[in-house]
Amino acid sequence: MPSRSAGLDWAAERGLGALADRMGIELLELSADHSVATMPVEGNTQPVGLLHGGAYVVLGESLGSMSANFHAGRGHLALGVDINATHTGSATSGIVTGVCTAIHLGRTLTVHEIVVTDESGRRCSTVRITNLIKPLP
């Protein structure tokens, strides 16, 4: 199994994408089974000052898709086919941290759960993403 530093090297070459960059997502760890990233609340809020629910989903999809693509390997592509989120708290300042854990790593499907917490460690959102792995054309 590749090391976590190999995952960060792979991600640095590939990039997280323009949306993740715009939202300030910073990747701290990357492997197929465990990944971690942070995102600032500031700049990603809804009008009342709470972190936007869609921002939680962007963080979750960024982590889950990167982990799935790292698992898929050379010559394959992982594409999100289902995502859902349950928001149980609201971050209003600082940063949030997403911790992505593999639930299933198969040949054609991956499922990851991403738990997003605020700086006090309080769970704010739980995101689950399923990715389909297919060969590149």
Side-chain angles (χ1 to χ4, degrees):
M1 178 159 66
S3 70
R4 289 203 171 108
S5 61
L8 287 176
D9 292 344
W10 175 84
E13 288 178 24
R14 186 170 202 238
L16 289 176
L19 180 57
D21 292 343
R22 189 174 306 121
M23 296 188 73
I25 295 174
E26 181 180 345
L27 189 62
L28 305 177
E29 297 179 37
L30 177 68
S31 70
D33 62 343
H34 179 84
S35 300
V36 180
T38 60
M39 180 178 66
V41 172
E42 187 174 334
N44 294 315
T45 58
Q46 46 180 260
V48 295
L50 306 175
L51 184 62
H52 194 287
Y56 291 113
V57 177
V58 170
L59 178 59
E61 182 154 4
S62 296
L63 275 168
S65 292
M66 290 296 285
S67 295
N69 274 286
F70 189 66
H71 169 71
R74 188 171 290 203
H76 291 82
L77 179 65
L79 299 167
V81 294
D82 182 66
I83 191 163
N84 65 67
T86 302
H87 308 309
T88 53
S90 299
T92 57
S93 64
I95 62 166
V96 293
T97 301
V99 177
C100 174
T101 305
I103 295 171
H104 175 75
L105 294 173
R107 287 182 297 117
T108 58
L109 283 177
T110 64
V111 180
H112 288 87
E113 177 183 70
I114 301 88
V115 174
V116 184
T117 56
D118 64 13
E119 288 182 328
S120 69
R122 181 176 57 111
R123 185 183 295 225
C124 295
S125 188
T126 305
V127 180
R128 192 192 68 176
I129 183 169
T130 303
N131 281 277
L132 172 69
I133 298 174
K134 61 185 238 173
L136 286 169

